[in-house]
Amino acid sequence: MALPYNENEMNQSVQGNHRAPTTGYNINHTKVNEGPGMCAYILTAISILLIVATFPFSFIFCVKVVQEYERAVIFRLGRLVRGGAKGPDQPSPSDQSQNDSVSGIFFIIPCIDTYCKVDLRTVSFDVPPQEILSKDSVTVAVDAVVYYRISNATIAVSNVEDYGHSTRLLAATTLRNVLGTKNLSEILSERESISHVMQANLDEATDPWGVKVERVEIKDVRLPVQLQRAMATEAEAAREARAKVIAAEGEQRASRALREASEVIADSPSALQLRYLQTLGSIATEKNSTIVFPIPLELFRGFLKRNI
């Protein structure tokens, strides 16, 4: 006959979960020398007699099946049954324990046993958009998505009433707490690091509930419309400033090149004539009917002196 948990067995079932203090219902409160009691033995015997008397019809109510991704936590007279959660665990060669069963079939005593199914598959949910005041006093709306699974079905059933709802509330609170310590620039540029910090905090907080947070992702960061316009204006002004600086640098380089060219032409008067002919050649190739002849200013110096 299966008996409830004692302290040593429960400590073995939750061994390794020491990252956060256990909260909620304490499943380790049972004393080692505490038995199920005479009343429990009497009720169990009566139930077994009823099952035998109504066999094979009672067999339908005694046999239960869970899927590969499910586990069943059984309570007998309100207490956990020894052996842990029932389910199709595949035994490994290095660990041949009695809790491993190849199939998902398990048996209960209908009159005194109740069981709760727990899904071990990864569950995802969206964290509702949270209005967050960043470290630099900017209000933003941020939403995220969280992926979690049940790592210990017995603890998930015993230590928290609704692990799914509790994880959702904790994820929303953690999102607000983590982003409240970041500046707007950090929120926009360091999403991956923020996701890792949130995952670590959630995993540590939900470990006493038998929940393993696998992944956290920041989906969207929504800024106020006025802030978006201000940032767009600032970015446009910065681009215009960079364009003016680049144009000024180009003019400076061009003026230096012209000064060097003028020095070369001043050293060789024939170079100016060659440059003049080259300019005329480039104008003629464009099929223009008008040709402009430059006149040196030295020709007008005599007239200017006479007028003065």
Side-chain angles (χ1 to χ4, degrees), residues 201-214:
N201 293 343
L202 283 175
D203 193 20
E204 182 179 359
T206 58
D207 183 67
W209 303 341
V211 176
K212 171 66 177 177
V213 177
E214 295 181 336

Side-chain angles (χ1 to χ4, degrees), residues 3-252:
L3 297 176
Y5 269 118
N6 58 35
E7 185 177 0
N8 295 332
E9 292 169 347
M10 186 57 68
N11 288 335
Q12 293 177 0
S13 66
V14 297
Q15 185 177 6
N17 297 327
H18 300 292
R19 292 176 295 174
T22 303
T23 59
Y25 175 70
N26 186 6
I27 59 178
N28 297 325
H29 72 284
T30 305
K31 298 181 180 179
V32 176
N33 57 357
E34 182 181 353
M38 184 60 64
C39 183
Y41 284 117
I42 295 174
L43 292 176
T44 303
I46 294 174
S47 300
I48 294 176
L49 290 176
L50 290 176
I51 292 174
V52 173
T54 58
F55 190 82
F57 299 101
S58 60
F59 186 75
I60 301 174
F61 301 96
C62 294
V63 178
K64 302 295 180 181
V65 179
V66 293
Q67 303 297 328
E68 178 73 23
Y69 51 83
E70 293 179 335
R71 297 296 179 269
V73 180
I74 304 175
F75 294 87
R76 178 159 297 166
L77 296 175
R79 297 177 59 185
L80 289 170
V81 173
R82 179 181 301 175
K86 305 298 181 181
D89 298 329
Q90 295 295 334
S92 59
S94 60
D95 184 16
Q96 294 290 343
S97 60
Q98 296 179 356
N99 295 338
D100 294 330
S101 59
V102 177
S103 63
I105 300 176
F106 64 96
F107 299 91
I108 65 172
I109 302 176
C111 300
I112 60 176
D113 286 354
T114 58
Y115 70 96
C116 178
K117 287 185 179 181
V118 179
D119 197 331
L120 302 184
R121 293 177 294 182
T122 299
V123 180
S124 63
F125 65 88
D126 294 327
V127 179
Q130 303 292 317
E131 293 288 340
I132 300 170
L133 183 64
S134 63
K135 190 176 181 181
D136 50 355
S137 301
V138 178
T139 303
V140 294
V142 183
D143 56 352
V145 58
V146 178
Y147 300 86
Y148 74 93
R149 61 178 176 84
I150 300 300
S151 60
N152 192 315
T154 303
I155 298 178
V157 174
S158 302
N159 275 14
V160 62
E161 179 181 3
D162 188 348
Y163 57 84
H165 182 65
S166 301
T167 304
R168 286 176 171 83
L169 294 179
L170 185 60
T173 305
T174 305
L175 178 63
R176 297 173 66 92
N177 294 338
V178 171
L179 295 183
T181 61
K182 303 291 184 179
N183 296 324
L184 178 61
S185 58
E186 296 175 347
I187 295 175
L188 296 176
S189 60
E190 299 179 2
R191 294 190 179 186
E192 186 174 357
S193 62
I194 293 174
S195 300
H196 291 326
V197 172
M198 283 191 59
Q199 179 184 356
N201 293 343
L202 283 175
D203 193 20
E204 182 179 359
T206 58
D207 183 67
W209 303 341
V211 176
K212 171 66 177 177
V213 177
E214 295 181 336
R215 191 179 183 87
V216 178
E217 292 292 340
I218 303 297
K219 291 179 60 178
D220 190 18
V221 179
R222 299 184 183 90
L223 303 177
V225 179
Q226 295 180 354
L227 182 59
Q228 293 180 10
R229 294 176 181 174
M231 294 178 65
T233 304
E234 181 182 0
E236 185 177 359
R239 287 194 297 268
E240 291 179 356
R242 287 196 298 268
K244 291 181 180 179
V245 170
I246 293 173
E249 292 177 353
E251 292 291 339
Q252 185 179 9

